[in-house]
Each structure stands twice: as C-alpha cells, then as structure tokens.
Amino acid sequence: MYHQPVFKNRRTLLERAEKFISDCYFTDCNLRGRLYGESCPVESILSSLSHKRIPYSEAVKLNYEPYKVGDTFGPTWWTCWFKVVVRIPELWRGKQVHLQWESDGEAMVWKDQQPVQGLTKEGEKSSYILTECLTDSEPHSMTLYIELACNGLFGAGQGSMIAAPDPDRKYSVQKAELVVFNQDVRELLTDFEMLVDIVKLLGEGDQRGYQALFTANEMVNVCEPTNPSSFPVARSLALTFFSQRNGESQHTVHAMGHCHIDTAWLWPYEETIRKCARSWVTVIRLMEKNSHMVFTCSQAQQLEWVKSWYPGLFSQIRDYAKKGQFIPVGGTWVEMDGNLPSGESMVRQFLEGQRFFQKEFGNYCREFWLPDTFGYSAQLPQIMLGSGITRFLTQKLSWNLVNTFPHNTFYWEGLDGSQVLTHFPPGNSYEMKGKVEDLVNTVKNNKDKGRANHSAALFGFGDGGGGPTQLMLDRLNRVQDTDGLPRVQMSSPDRLFSLLEAESSLLCTWTGELFLELHNGTYTTQAQIKLGNRQCETLLHDVEVASSLALCENNAFQYPTTQLQNLWRLLLLNQFHDVIPGSCIEAVVEDALKYYQEIRTVGTKLLQKSCEALVATGQTGVRGQRTEVRVPAVLNTLPWERSEVLPLTDGTTNQPVLALVTVPSVGVVSVKEGSGTPPAVSVKVQVDGTVIMENGILRAVVNKDGCLASLNLVRSNREVIYDGCQGNQFVMFDDVPLYWDAWDIMDYHLQTRKPVVEVLHPIQVLSSGGLRGSVTFTLKISEKSTITQEVILDAMCPYIKFKTQVEWLEAHKMLKVEFPVRVRSPEATYEIQFGHLKRPTHRNTSWDWARFEVWGHKWADLSEHGFGVSLLNDCKYGYSVHRNVMTLSLLRAPKAPDANADMGTHQFTYAIMPHKGTFQEADVIQCAYNLNYPLRLMDHTPGSSTAVWSSFSVSTAAVILETIKKAEDREDALLLRLYESHGSSVSACLSTCLPVREAWHCDLLERVDPSCPVPITEVGIPLNFRPFQIVSLLLYLRQSEPF
Ligand SMILES: [Zn+2]
C-alpha cells in the first residue's frame, strides 16, 4: 500500500511528523487533538481564603463560598482552599477520567482526609486521575479539597524569577473540569515524540536518525487519529524501531527520579514543608503504578518535616524505602553550603543527617548528595569518609564561568589525602525530563569517555514541580536499549557507584577544593546571616564545652541534650545552600535571623546554667588546686592558655573597668585585681594629628582618616605597610553582576575601585593607654552611608583590632578594606574547615584569575620566608589577595531576590597581625580563635566556690581540640574532636584532669573502632596525627565519686 518511495527531503518528513503531534498546529485533525475526549464541568466549587498555612483539619472548618473559574484571589503567600464536588457521567464507563485543574500557584489534592497528589502547572501536573477505568460499581461522585498556595514554583518574583516577590499578586484557577483521557493516544504521542527527537538530535550525519525519520513518517501514514483501531499498527512500527538493540559496548545511563527541593529560597521555609509533601505524594502515586521507578531523596530535615506534618505520607514513604524505590540519599541534615559552615558544623550536618536516616530508614547513606551548591571545601572528602560515605554526586561545577572542569567521574582527594569517588552527571542537570536530548548529552558531554561507561541522569521537576511525571517514565521505558542511543536503566546511586567502582582503574584524581567560578558574592551577601552563623557556631561550641565540664564536675547537672540538638538543627537548617549564602528572599532572611536569635537566647541561658553548675561544684567535691575565691571567674573554652584584656564591671562602683586575665586551657580562673603589672600600651597624639599606639609588640601610626600610615613589628623592626601606601584603607566598588544579583561579583568590578576618603570625624583617642589604647573616627561613604571605627591595641596582644560599625544604605555597591603589605609571595593561605589551603596571588592562568574573590574562614595569611601578615575576622568570609594587597570583603548591596538585602547597621571586627616566622609558629590560628571565642565571664553565685583549673590541654600547638561534647547515646562518655592544624605529621599528648576510664577512637558518627583503643598513660593520652587529620575520641568517664 505504501510503496511510493519517500523523496529525499528530510525537512518535510520531519515537520510532517512534528505537526502530527503539535499542540498548536492542526489540532483539529492531528493526533494531539485526540488526547482528551469528552469533558464536563465539576458539580460545584467553593473556596475559602486563609492568610496562614493551616492543616487540613482546620481547613475543612473554614467558611466556604461559591467560586467561579477565572475569579482571582490572593495575595501572595496566602492559601486558598477549594471544596470541589465532582460527578462522573455514567456514559463514561470504561474510560479513564481526569480532573483537569489548571491554576496559578501550587496545589495539593486532598481526598478522604489524606493528601493524594500535587498539582503544579509548571511541573506538568495538571491532572488528577479520578478513575483509570470507570466501572458501574465505583462511586461516580466525590468531594475533593484542593489546597492552593498563592505562590508559583519559584515564588512570586516581580518581573523576573529572582526579582523580589510581588506581595500583591493575584491568583486564579483557569480550568476545573472532568475529561476523558485517551491513554492509547498518549502512548502513540510518546512514540512519535521520541522518534522526532531522535531524528533531530542524531542529525543528518547519522543513519539511525534516518531510520527514525522513515519510521515516524510511515506511522503518520498508517495512523488515523479518529480511528483508534489504526493505532496498534503504528505503535508496532515504533516498537520495532525502539527494540533494535545496541552492541555490548554502549554507554549506560542510570536514570533516577529526583526532585531538588530548595529548603528555602524564593519562598519561606514553611512553604517548603508543603512543597515536599506535594512532590513526594505525587512520587508515591507514580510508584504505585510503576514498580520499577526509583526516586532519590536527600535532606533529613525535609523528611523530618513531612514526618511531623504528614505522618500518613511519611509511612508510605517508609514502605517504598523498604522496597528500594524511595531512596534516601545524601547523609546530611540539609544540602548545605559547601564553603561557609565551620568544620564542626559540617560534621554535625552528617551526624544529624546520618543518624536520622539510620533511625527512620534503617541505613546510613553511602553517597553524599549535593547537586546544587556554590563550591566544595577541600575538607569534605575526609568528613565524608568519617561519616561512612565514600561516594559523592554533584554537578554545580558545570556552571563555572571561566574554566570547564575536566572530569565527570574521578577521585576527589581532600586536604588530608582522603579520596572519594565522585560523579558529576554529564547531562549537567539535576532536573532532566527523560528526553532524547538528556540521553544524548549525557554521552556527548562525558569527559571520561573510555574511562567510565556509566553515568547518572536525574530526572524530575525540582522545587515546586513535584518531581518526575508518568511521561518521563514512559519516554525512558521506550529506549532502554535502542541502537543509536545510550542504554537506559532505572537505577540507584548504589548500583551506579558500584559499577563505577568496579571499573575505576583509569579514573583521574582531582586534588584540593572544587572551586565554583561563580556565585562568589555569596561569601559576603546578607552579612547578618554570616554573623549569626559564626556567633552561633561559637556559642554552641562554648555551651557544649561548659556543659561537658559541668557534667563531669557536678553530679546534679543535667546535660541539655535535647535543647542542644534543637539548636544545632536550627543552625544546620540556616546553612542550607540558599540561606547562609544570602541568595534568598527577605522573608527567609527574617526567619533565619529569628532562628539565630533563638539560638542566642536559649544558648546563652544554657551557657549560664552550665557555668553556674561548674561554679557550684564546690558543693559536690573539691579536688586538685581548687581554692576558695571571690568571683567573678572567667571561662576559656579554647585549648590553650590565653592572656587578654577583658571588660569587667567594678564590684563597688559598678563602672566598667578593664582587667588583664590569664586563663588556662579549657579552664576557669578567678579574676584577681591588681595581679602583676603588664607591659602597658602607650598612645601619643602627634602634632600633625596622627596617633601612635604601641604595646611593645606592635607600633601603629594611625592617620586622621583612620588609615594605618605605618605598622611596625617592634622586636624585628619590620614595617608592615607597603611603601607609599596605607593600611586599613576602605574602598568602594560598583557591584553590578550579569544576572545573579545576590550571588555574583564579576571580575570587572575591580576596575571601579574608589577609596573612601571623606572624613566626618577625624580620629580621637578613646582609650589613652594602660591595658588598652584605642582611637575612633568616622568616614562618609556617601550621603547615606558611614563607617565608624575603633582601632584597638591591647596590652600583650599581637594584633590590632578594628571594631567597625557601618550604616549602609547603598545600591549595587561593595565595600572592602585593603592592607597593602611588604610581603612578596606567589600564594596566600586561607583558613578552611579543620585546616587551611593556599591559593595564588597572581593571575597567570585562567584558573588563577577566576579566583579573584575567594572564601576563607577566620583568617588569611600572606607570608614570605621569616615574616608574614595575617588578616583575622569575626564574621566575614570573602577575601582576595592580589600580589601584596590583602583585601577583606565587608558588605554588598544587591537588590534581588531581597530588595533590602544588607540595608541598615552592621557591626563586625577584623584584625591585622604581622608576625615573625610562619603563621604556624606565630600562633595565628590560635589568635583567630581568640578573636572569635570571647572569654566568658561567669556570674558570681553567692556562697559558692569556684576553682582555678584546666580540664584539658594538648602538648602541641599544631593540634587543636575543637569540640568537647557529651557522646551521642551514652551517658558516661564525652566526645572529643581534635585536628592537626599546621599541615604536619605530629605526635601529641592530650592531658586531662577529668576521671577518664577508657579512651577509644571513633568516627564522626561516634561509632567506636574496636581495633583502636587509646592508651591512657601517666601524662595523658598519646595521639598521632597526619597533616590536617581529624581525630574523634570517646572518653568513658568513671562513675562520679568524690575525689
Ligand atoms: Zn538548590
């Protein structure tokens, strides 16, 4: 019948097939026009608005009023509840019937008091299946509730996705009707779509593409859209094509359903809870129909939310997890930022996450899953291995603006040499659609061809999109093994990584950080969030140390396990990869700051309680060198002795006074007045108005505008400030990125540098010497913004502190402070989690200059042989060191997605510390800790006694005792975490006066290594460290007894 040969005209045949399935052309006669059959309106719709997100049980009690399709409601962030009554016509028996629901906003269908499916237009989910095949016996009438959130998939950006949300947007339902759905048409449409895509993507150079073209053309010939009995012939032609198989060598794509849900971003945390429920209930519906479907789901916090808010759904999730279809992955509490959280925070991400997964799903995750964050710390491989994870999946480096990352499957080697098998899905997306394009790109982009023959493809709409669709599954099913395309199998992370491990001999290794050459503004944006994170990390550290000591010293003390876990979880939540980076809307910032405030309030109370318990230990037993003393006492939570100038309140006059205190390592000391005469600080005002401050270690000359004209390291007589330059120089830049406003600082901003020179108040002396010398001044940045600073030099202190307050009301500007120094080195050093790394100070290659703005934690250092300068800070993360200029990024002023980002008052402190020798020898690391962890004053408790004692000390400065906490699940043990901070192999001895019975090595999940008992000798616990090694110890305590 079809013996006419086709003309050699690829274009007409291809377009013919395209038009046959087009949803805008020829729908009166083409196949697409037959997808839906008869339709009828719903019986009734009522609606009720709620300005809060309320549970179903409250929603059904609302007052409902009639709603007409097309009517608008809102505003943004409200919820409209609909009560929908449907009646399916008798005549539709034998048909598949859908409720078609098209609306702005993200919806959830509730039936019989349970959430049953998400409806999101942007996620191609606008049908709820009422019946697969209508029978006479099933109910034709039912009442559904539809909960409609007044926000889109990506919030409510005004004009563009990342613009600040429009608070007054109106929403509407555009369609609510019952339709007959023709499944046979859908199947055939999918066949056509895949064939057409194969033609297009394989291109004219590939003979398989022509076979697809002729198959599709012949299918159009045989298919009569109005006559379903013609469909099987067409379908069998497609099947013949799809089942022509590959050779054995073909690449395998491991398809996994996924739904990347940002824990907060362009919508608040609270909406995410509903996004999770909408997405996952939709996934469960798909799994019911597709027993082979696999879905990977990360972020313990989101699962915990669903467990609390949707317990029925959570138990279904658990059932499918048991079947191996719903696969928890990632191992962390949230998908956190990979740069800014401290080392201990990162450990806690895994500790809280893995313990949750183990408790709820019976397994620890074996893969770290972080597809979407803005760079990855070089310490992550060691932290992963310590948390039972050997594999890592991400793809964000495909966003690099300058250099193309050279690998997709490789070993990533961290700072200490730990290696994890790493896979970047070559399709460069975590939101694929199961289309031919995704498969072809996965093979084409794979940079490890010949080395790795397996790749992941994560498919499903993210965020509010509700994950995979049946159509995506159908697409992938058709081409499981089709000649010309890679093989596709529904797979799991474990299966993929096991196969990659089995053929890993040719894989390359990437050593050091995975630096994202984009989103470098996120080290600085939303300064209050950065401050909250740093301060709360510090506070929780101190609460844990003080509570652990109180636990050992005071029988009556209850360790605040639950409260601490709650506070940690809040802190970890705010480390999500759009919150701590500052790339979220204003409502999220408000929530985040509220959580930090909660941590501060509760944490401060807990610290106070534990300190009281510690001071009150005299009541339960006194040992060692304890003496009866009058308070106040001071607590040092850091593992070295500190001598610092501390503001106290005079007991008789109630006036603030300064005292120099020396507090032993992880210990307490009482403050004795007038003990010893420290070398004093002198402050001299010169005739030209400049001020010279000197403390025997440093001599600084401060200009009238607050700049450092000179800084001298007295004993070596080394000048720090570069010839003809000034230190502490504030500079402003135009800060207009290409698109990602809150995220990006572009290279060209460096050309817009303008020093801040206008003096509002020239320097005046604030503290005239003795224990403290300080001067203050105010600069004008613009008509609206000012900087007020106190430059502080304390007795015995090796650094100058710059206590800064900025009134900041700018738009698309950036403020930095510069220190041009007399140091020449091709590399600068930056503190990262549990260690430090070097980055170039030159711009030789594209890899070097792409790092014109980098992140670091508490300090950065520029050293040449024998001398260097360190820049310390108490809440900043953005640095740049170019040639000999050390720069700290202070504030930005982006306008999207938060139109008010960073506007207002900011307080922060940074410090400059010149030093002899290396930064290791000069104790720069310790000084940066000191700047961040204030000595804690302990309140006087009348009638009690306190002690002058040190609980722990470490024999070498290279090893830092970072964490002291109660062990998880054990009442009689402490967990200690130490790390090697110099980058050296060392032996150390940990001494303690606490009653330690046994000591064991354990991993970061606190699982004891039975092969690794730790000896306890007369002098303490001997330990060996590799460079940057993290060591966790469990110390079992003797049951408390009088000493
Ligand atoms: Zn994300």
Side-chain angles (χ1 to χ4, degrees):
M1 186 179 174
Y2 301 106
H3 293 156
Q4 276 287 339
V6 291
F7 296 122
K8 289 198 169 174
N9 192 336
R10 183 173 176 269
R11 181 181 159 187
T12 55
L13 296 190
L14 175 57
E15 281 196 29
R16 180 194 190 197
E18 284 179 313
K19 294 290 154 59
F20 195 63
I21 55 171
S22 167
D23 55 9
C24 60
Y25 298 107
F26 303 108
T27 49
D28 62 320
C29 61
N30 75 3
L31 186 63
R32 177 79 58 181
R34 311 295 299 179
L35 182 57
Y36 294 102
E38 287 177 86
S39 66
C40 76
V42 296
E43 185 111 321
S44 69
I45 310 183
L46 304 174
S47 74
S48 186
L49 263 177
S50 163
H51 75 280
K52 285 199 299 194
R53 299 174 180 90
I54 53 172
Y56 174 84
S57 55
E58 278 178 45
V60 291
K61 292 181 201 147
L62 294 171
N63 283 327
Y64 285 83
E65 291 180 353
Y67 175 84
K68 198 162 86 295
V69 168
D71 286 353
T72 59
F73 49 86
T76 305
W77 309 128
W78 286 43
T79 299
C80 194
W81 283 85
F82 293 91
K83 185 176 179 180
V84 182
V85 179
V86 301
R87 185 181 303 279
I88 308 172
E90 305 274 328
L91 287 172
W92 290 3
R93 79 174 61 81
K95 311 276 192 196
Q96 190 176 125
V97 183
H98 292 187
L99 167 66
Q100 274 216 312
W101 180 275
E102 283 177 21
S103 61
D104 312 317
E106 303 178 282
M108 170 77 99
V109 185
W110 292 78
K111 188 184 171 194
D112 304 331
Q113 289 124 56
Q114 290 301 319
V116 289
Q117 198 201 289
L119 289 173
T120 309
K121 203 164 52 176
E122 297 115 307
E124 295 178 6
K125 294 172 187 72
S126 47
S127 284
Y128 172 64
I129 302 175
L130 296 169
T131 174
E132 296 274 356
C133 179
L134 185 71
T135 60
D136 287 337
S137 59
E138 69 187 292
H140 285 39
S141 248
M142 64 186 92
T143 301
L144 303 170
Y145 280 86
I146 295 180
E147 175 189 13
L148 201 151
C150 293
N151 55 262
L153 185 84
F154 292 121
Q158 198 160 17
S160 90
M161 180 181 82
I162 62 162
D166 177 357
D168 300 318
R169 186 179 287 181
K170 291 290 181 187
Y171 296 77
S172 73
V173 178
Q174 296 99 45
K175 189 188 261 188
E177 62 183 26
L178 306 191
V179 290
V180 169
F181 180 77
N182 294 318
Q183 183 66 37
D184 51 357
V185 175
R186 156 66 73 212
E187 298 291 352
L188 200 48
L189 283 171
T190 309
D191 291 339
F192 270 111
E193 183 216 306
M194 293 302 277
L195 288 165
V196 165
D197 283 356
I198 289 169
V199 178
K200 288 202 266 192
L201 281 144
L202 295 190
E204 296 188 44
D206 192 297
Q207 78 150 355
R208 193 64 180 142
Y210 283 91
Q211 291 170 355
L213 179 68
F214 300 148
T215 303
N217 186 58
E218 201 163 341
M219 285 166 64
V220 184
N221 288 336
V222 300
C223 178
E224 296 171 52
T226 53
N227 177 11
S229 70
S230 70
F231 296 175
V233 184
R235 288 223 63 200
S236 74
L237 289 169
L239 182 68
T240 304
F241 177 90
F242 293 135
S243 46
Q244 285 167 334
R245 298 168 65 171
N246 276 296
E248 280 177 28
S249 65
Q250 185 56 273
H251 193 85
T252 301
V253 174
H254 294 251
M256 303 171 209
H258 189 53
C259 179
H260 177 76
I261 302 180
D262 290 302
T263 298
W265 180 28
L266 302 174
W267 55 86
Y269 285 124
E270 233 186 49
E271 193 54 47
T272 306
I273 302 173
R274 300 200 297 190
K275 281 177 184 281
C276 293
R278 287 191 286 262
S279 301
W280 299 345
V281 76
T282 308
V283 166
I284 297 291
R285 289 294 88 76
L286 279 178
M287 285 181 175
E288 285 168 354
K289 290 172 66 179
N290 301 272
S291 59
H292 68 294
M293 178 188 168
V294 168
F295 180 77
T296 52
C297 182
S298 64
Q299 314 200 60
Q301 168 72 86
Q302 295 185 0
L303 288 155
E304 201 268 340
W305 278 334
V306 167
K307 188 185 173 204
S308 332
W309 291 90
Y310 303 86
L313 171 59
F314 189 71
S315 89
Q316 289 178 316
I317 287 173
R318 274 221 280 231
D319 291 343
Y320 279 96
K322 275 192 205 115
K323 290 180 189 164
Q325 285 183 256
F326 195 104
I327 303 180
V329 291
T332 49
W333 186 247
V334 295
E335 286 187 13
M336 73 280 195
D337 180 81
N339 302 329
L340 310 186
S342 70
E344 187 60 26
S345 284
M346 284 199 170
V347 170
R348 299 305 176 92
Q349 286 286 353
F350 284 96
L351 182 73
E352 283 298 320
Q354 286 286 50
R355 284 170 60 83
F356 178 89
F357 290 116
Q358 164 70 25
K359 179 165 167 259
E360 300 297 338
F361 299 98
N363 290 305
Y364 292 119
C365 301
R366 298 179 65 192
E367 296 84 20
F368 181 37
W369 192 274
L370 197 55
D372 180 32
T373 201
F374 313 149
Y376 306 86
S377 163
Q379 196 55 282
L380 272 166
Q382 185 180 189
I383 294 174
M384 283 183 228
L385 290 186
S387 307
I389 287 176
T390 54
R391 303 147 162 187
F392 175 42
L393 183 142
T394 183
Q395 65 81 44
K396 198 71 183 185
L397 260 58
S398 67
W399 284 46
N400 269 3
L401 206 58
V402 180
N403 297 287
T404 303
F405 193 79
H407 312 301
N408 285 100
T409 304
F410 61 102
Y411 280 99
W412 179 23
E413 184 178 275
L415 200 59
D416 70 316
S418 295
Q419 292 197 345
V420 289
L421 180 58
T422 300
H423 180 67
F424 296 177
N428 295 339
S429 169
Y430 44 83
E431 287 191 26
M432 291 186 171
K433 307 290 181 283
K435 299 191 76 152
V436 173
E437 181 188 9
D438 299 332
L439 304 175
V440 169
N441 283 343
T442 295
V443 178
K444 199 168 77 187
N445 300 347
N446 181 17
K447 293 179 208 77
D448 292 288
K449 295 184 181 78
R451 299 174 199 267
N453 211 18
H454 298 268
S455 296
L458 310 180
F459 66 96
F461 289 98
D463 290 320
T469 62
Q470 184 65 50
L471 179 58
M472 294 177 195
L473 292 166
D474 292 344
R475 287 171 181 149
L476 293 168
N477 277 343
R478 276 169 177 65
V479 291
Q480 289 175 42
D481 191 355
T482 297
D483 184 21
L485 295 180
R487 290 184 203 189
V488 186
Q489 53 178 251
M490 200 59 67
S491 187
S492 66
D494 184 48
R495 185 166 163 72
L496 167 71
F497 278 104
S498 299
L499 288 163
L500 290 175
E501 279 159 3
E503 54 176 41
S504 59
S505 59
L506 294 176
L507 295 182
C508 299
T509 299
W510 178 272
T511 300
E513 67 179 325
L514 297 173
F515 185 88
L516 179 66
E517 296 171 355
L518 199 70
H519 295 358
N520 46 12
T522 63
Y523 320 147
T524 304
T525 306
Q526 299 287 9
Q528 300 294 351
I529 289 184
K530 270 67 173 177
L531 174 76
N533 181 69
R534 185 75 67 78
Q535 286 187 341
C536 291
E537 284 178 339
T538 306
L539 178 60
L540 293 187
H541 168 274
D542 286 0
V543 174
E544 288 184 336
V545 171
S547 302
S548 300
L549 301 184
L551 182 72
C552 296
E553 294 294 305
N554 187 333
N555 283 345
F557 181 75
Q558 294 271 318
Y559 191 92
T561 306
T562 313
Q563 293 104 307
L564 268 169
Q565 185 184 44
N566 291 340
L567 298 186
W568 265 111
R569 284 182 169 188
L570 286 180
L571 182 64
L572 300 178
L573 174 59
N574 278 350
Q575 288 170 352
F576 177 72
H577 67 249
D578 283 310
V579 180
I580 195 175
S583 49
C584 50
I585 59 170
E586 190 171 14
V588 177
V589 177
E590 285 165 7
D591 282 346
L593 297 183
K594 200 174 72 193
Y595 293 159
Y596 288 128
Q597 200 45 50
E598 190 178 334
I599 299 169
R600 287 188 185 104
T601 308
V602 181
T604 304
K605 275 189 201 137
L606 293 177
L607 183 62
Q608 205 176 344
K609 268 190 176 174
S610 53
C611 286
E612 278 164 18
L614 208 51
V615 173
T617 52
Q619 290 155 6
T620 57
V622 176
R623 71 160 187 274
Q625 314 151 17
R626 289 199 178 162
T627 51
E628 191 76 20
V629 289
R630 294 212 328 273
V631 284
V634 177
L635 170 70
N636 170 21
T637 63
L638 297 177
W640 46 80
E641 184 184 271
R642 296 161 71 177
S643 292
E644 284 176 29
V645 174
L646 196 66
L648 299 173
T649 310
D650 186 282
T652 44
T653 63
N654 247 359
Q655 292 298 306
V657 290
L658 294 173
L660 181 76
V661 291
T662 298
V663 198
S665 162
V666 200
V668 180
V669 75
S670 64
V671 183
K672 291 180 202 135
E673 283 155 43
S675 54
T677 328
V681 184
S682 70
V683 178
K684 287 184 200 128
V685 183
Q686 306 289 103
V687 278
D688 62 356
T690 61
V691 176
I692 301 179
M693 296 198 285
E694 185 171 351
N695 70 350
I697 304 168
L698 299 175
R699 183 174 60 241
V701 181
V702 189
N703 283 345
K704 279 190 284 188
D705 61 359
C707 287
L708 289 187
S710 162
L711 177 62
N712 195 276
L713 188 60
V714 175
R715 273 168 229 155
S716 342
N717 193 23
R718 283 285 300 242
E719 174 57 39
V720 174
I721 307 299
Y722 195 71
D723 308 16
C725 296
Q726 310 189 100
N728 198 37
Q729 173 71 61
F730 289 100
V731 277
M732 288 283 281
F733 296 85
D734 295 344
D735 185 14
V736 188
L738 297 176
Y739 175 72
W740 297 100
D741 201 354
W743 290 257
D744 289 349
I745 303 167
M746 308 311 298
D747 46 6
Y748 51 74
H749 88 284
L750 292 167
Q751 301 183 332
T752 65
R753 176 183 177 278
K754 289 181 193 67
V756 178
V757 291
E758 202 171 335
V759 180
L760 272 185
H761 304 295
I763 51 165
Q764 61 181 89
V765 175
L766 209 60
S767 302
S768 55
L771 287 179
R772 170 168 294 174
S774 78
V775 294
T776 182
F777 63 93
T778 301
L779 301 179
K780 183 172 163 185
I781 298 173
S782 70
E783 290 310 314
K784 292 172 175 173
S785 305
T786 57
I787 302 169
T788 301
Q789 196 170 57
E790 186 183 358
V791 183
I792 302 170
L793 184 62
D794 279 344
M796 292 179 71
C797 187
Y799 49 84
I800 294 189
K801 280 186 283 195
F802 300 88
K803 195 175 161 195
T804 314
Q805 176 161 324
V806 181
E807 303 300 328
W808 183 247
L809 282 171
E810 297 297 316
H812 290 118
K813 299 282 178 190
M814 185 172 185
L815 177 68
K816 307 184 193 181
V817 65
E818 291 176 348
F819 290 89
V821 296
R822 289 194 193 187
V823 178
R824 180 165 171 81
S825 169
E827 290 170 320
T829 310
Y830 302 84
E831 189 194 34
I832 67 160
Q833 295 80 0
F834 299 125
H836 54 82
L837 51 71
K838 291 187 191 308
R839 300 188 184 108
T841 58
H842 56 75
R843 294 173 183 165
N844 280 359
T845 70
S846 60
W847 293 87
D848 300 328
W849 63 256
R851 287 180 282 175
F852 59 87
E853 174 82 13
V854 297
W855 63 272
H857 285 185
K858 301 186 287 291
W859 58 270
D861 179 81
L862 184 67
S863 286
E864 58 188 36
H865 179 69
F867 176 75
V869 180
S870 294
L871 193 50
L872 324 179
N873 77 78
D874 74 347
C875 63
K876 297 295 169 195
Y877 296 91
Y879 294 91
S880 54
V881 181
H882 181 220
R883 303 179 66 89
N884 66 321
V885 182
M886 305 180 77
T887 306
L888 186 64
S889 298
L890 301 175
L891 292 168
R892 297 188 67 215
K895 300 299 166 192
D898 174 2
N900 300 307
D902 280 317
M903 296 301 98
T905 305
H906 296 271
Q907 290 175 329
F908 49 85
T909 297
Y910 55 87
I912 186 148
M913 176 175 170
H915 57 82
K916 212 180 137 200
T918 65
F919 67 85
Q920 290 98 332
E921 290 158 354
D923 286 341
V924 165
I925 300 169
Q926 281 74 7
C927 288
Y929 269 93
N930 293 349
L931 184 72
N932 279 268
Y933 292 75
L935 289 169
R936 304 279 185 184
L937 265 177
M938 295 159 77
D939 281 349
H940 176 41
T941 314
S944 71
S945 63
T946 189
V948 182
W949 65 290
S950 161
S951 59
F952 288 101
S953 60
V954 186
S955 63
T956 161
V959 171
I960 292 180
L961 171 54
E962 172 75 26
T963 302
I964 304 169
K965 65 186 269 288
K966 191 177 84 64
E968 303 290 325
D969 307 325
R970 285 174 217 264
E971 293 310 311
D972 62 339
L974 292 184
L975 179 287
L976 267 58
R977 194 158 5 261
L978 309 96
Y979 71 96
E980 198 291 317
S981 68
H982 285 178
S984 60
S985 299
V986 291
S987 298
C989 183
L990 171 71
S991 308
T992 180
C993 68
L994 299 180
V996 177
R997 169 165 58 94
E998 281 174 46
W1000 292 85
H1001 280 286
C1002 67
D1003 68 4
L1004 299 179
L1005 304 182
E1006 305 188 14
R1007 296 178 293 186
V1008 169
D1009 181 349
S1011 69
C1012 243
V1014 188
I1016 304 176
T1017 69
E1018 295 238 319
V1019 285
I1021 299 168
L1023 297 164
N1024 293 313
F1025 287 80
R1026 297 188 313 271
F1028 303 114
Q1029 188 184 2
I1030 306 164
V1031 168
S1032 300
L1033 294 179
L1034 281 173
L1035 302 187
Y1036 294 3
L1037 302 167
R1038 273 194 293 274
Q1039 288 310 310
S1040 49
E1041 59 203 74
F1043 296 97

